[in-house]
Amino acid sequence: MQKQALIIGISGINGRALAEKLQHEGWQVTGLSRGRSAAPEGCRSLTADLTDSDQVREALADVKPDALFFSVWSRQENERENIRVNGGMVRNVIEALGERLNGAHVALITGLKHYLGPFEAYGKGAVPVTPFREEQGRQPVENFYYAQEDEVFAGAKKYGYRWSVHRPHTIIGYAVGNAMNMGQTLAVYATLCREKGWPFIFPGSPEQWNGLADMTDAGLLAEQLLWAATSEEAANEDFNAVNGDVFRWNWLWPRLAAWFGIEAAEYPGRAMPLETRMQEAAEAWQEIAARYQLREADITRLASWWHTDADLGRPMEAFTDMSKSRKAGFTGYRSTPDAFIALFEKLKAENIIPR
């Protein structure tokens, strides 16, 4: 029989890549989201406010998945609210499915804020030594990732499913209207710099400019999620999920610039956040979109200045060890520069940035 997958947050970067991978492998895919963006072609699409338990229960009334994947969060004004809202969304889905999850697999995507702490706590406490390893555990701070994990763990005890937790670094992937999209944000930024003659300045901290870093291709993460859902070695385990290479931004930045036909500006030696520098970007992008007849003229659906600033502005080095999943049998790899270029080519092909 055809396996059934339920993806919570199917229209985002991770959900979209996962849906495409599962369908390619013969799964039937259902997606539940808030309905702000279309689900990938071929998927059954369900809509509900994930914070409303009644809506979620009604939407999932006839769904019985072999695997349930959580790739969803909602940004709130502080971490206490993040915990309440995002933990609640996971709980609402698990409780709506209930005994139908018996014998299934439930996968949760979180990220490296598991080790670094939430955005508002970056650099304010002790950070584990790099590369980050799963054995390092939780930080002694409030973190909605931990609340989501706890809901998954509690559901496993109650309903008898197996689980996995996946911790990618910053995702490289395609999705319009996503709030956490560095690759697309950098593509928009580079296009603005080329078209308006603005300097292509690395916006982050000296620690990020000079230190080692890694990233996660959305397709690589999808491969790991599928592997975990079908591998006994992955049952009830947490896994880092990064491409497998490391780089320094002072090496990669000029190479990204070259793809857009521009030169990288000299690094000023301090963070130059995009959110404060891109005040004229919305109007400029409308002009560019009209000139090239681009698909999306609303820059807020393409670029997330705040999120890119948060990732590139970290006052510490951040990269990840993949030994645990390698030893368990997952050997997926991506070249990070190649992943960026593939995304840029996709954005051109989809008429998001100028051809």
Side-chain angles (χ1 to χ4, degrees):
M1 292 182 64
Q2 189 175 30
K3 289 190 175 182
Q4 306 291 315
L6 173 61
I7 302 175
I8 311 302
I10 194 170
S11 60
I13 301 176
N14 299 328
R16 180 172 297 275
L18 176 59
E20 291 172 354
K21 177 65 176 176
L22 289 169
Q23 288 186 109
H24 183 265
E25 297 296 324
W27 289 57
Q28 184 174 345
V29 178
T30 298
L32 178 64
S33 70
R34 290 164 287 191
R36 296 177 181 174
S37 300
E41 186 177 350
C43 299
R44 179 189 181 197
S45 182
L46 304 174
T47 302
D49 178 352
L50 296 172
T51 66
D52 186 320
S53 59
D54 292 334
Q55 282 193 34
V56 173
R57 188 176 297 108
E58 181 178 353
L60 297 178
D62 66 347
V63 179
K64 188 181 187 304
D66 296 292
L68 165 63
F69 302 93
F70 284 102
S71 180
V72 63
W73 83 295
S74 176
R75 188 187 185 197
Q76 305 298 310
E77 63 183 13
N78 56 56
E79 197 60 19
R80 184 154 296 182
E81 278 299 290
N82 277 334
I83 289 169
R84 182 185 69 81
V85 171
N86 291 284
M89 290 194 297
V90 172
R91 181 172 61 255
N92 287 343
V93 172
I94 291 172
E95 290 302 317
L97 293 168
E99 295 296 340
R100 282 171 282 161
L101 286 173
N102 184 264
H105 184 88
V106 175
L108 172 68
I109 302 172
T110 61
L112 293 199
K113 290 190 291 295
H114 180 93
Y115 306 109
L116 293 164
F119 287 124
E120 63 189 47
Y122 272 178
K124 296 181 180 178
V127 175
V129 64
T130 52
F132 301 139
R133 294 179 171 86
E134 296 87 346
E135 67 192 34
Q136 292 167 327
R138 296 180 174 183
Q139 290 288 316
V141 296
E142 292 185 324
N143 192 325
F144 80 86
Y145 283 170
Y146 306 160
Q148 289 185 314
E149 284 184 343
D150 288 342
E151 295 294 345
V152 170
F153 301 157
K157 291 180 180 179
K158 187 174 182 179
Y159 296 118
Y161 58 76
R162 44 176 271 174
W163 56 265
S164 61
V165 175
H166 303 261
R167 298 180 188 135
H169 200 162
T170 305
I171 300 291
I172 307 171
Y174 175 79
V176 175
N178 190 272
M180 294 169 53
N181 198 335
M182 181 194 287
Q184 195 163 280
T185 297
L186 294 182
V188 169
Y189 174 39
T191 300
L192 284 163
C193 290
R194 184 184 66 202
E195 297 296 322
K196 305 298 290 186
W198 299 347
F200 188 55
I201 301 170
F202 180 76
S205 67
E207 291 83 358
Q208 289 295 304
W209 179 248
N210 295 309
L212 287 174
D214 54 22
M215 294 186 73
T216 305
D217 181 81
L220 182 282
L221 177 59
E223 289 178 10
Q224 192 191 63
L225 288 161
L226 176 57
W227 164 77
T230 56
S231 169
E232 288 302 320
E233 288 75 12
N236 306 326
E237 296 288 350
D238 52 354
F239 295 106
N240 294 330
V242 293
N243 286 340
D245 63 351
V246 294
F247 63 91
R248 300 181 198 276
W249 279 106
N250 60 23
W251 172 84
L252 182 58
W253 195 253
R255 285 160 175 79
L256 300 185
W259 191 89
F260 287 92
I262 58 178
E263 290 190 8
E266 183 178 353
Y267 180 60
R270 59 187 176 87
M272 298 282 287
L274 292 168
E275 194 162 31
T276 56
R277 291 172 46 226
M278 293 292 109
Q279 299 300 311
E280 301 175 16
E283 183 177 351
W285 189 259
Q286 287 182 335
E287 295 172 2
I288 294 167
R291 186 188 322 148
Y292 291 101
Q293 298 183 316
L294 302 180
R295 256 179 57 193
E296 183 57 71
D298 182 358
I299 202 170
T300 64
R301 288 182 51 78
L302 301 177
S304 48
W305 308 125
W306 70 269
H307 176 256
T308 298
D309 285 340
D311 270 6
L312 297 182
R314 293 170 180 153
M316 77 287 284
E317 185 178 69
F319 68 103
T320 306
D321 181 76
M322 283 287 285
S323 295
K324 183 177 180 180
S325 63
R326 298 281 189 261
K327 289 180 179 180
F330 178 72
T331 58
Y333 168 85
R334 292 289 192 283
S335 158
T336 296
D338 289 352
F340 269 113
I341 299 308
L343 172 61
F344 298 158
E345 294 286 2
K346 171 77 170 176
L347 294 172
K348 268 203 317 184
E350 294 292 329
N351 202 32
I352 301 297
I353 61 175
R355 289 182 171 87

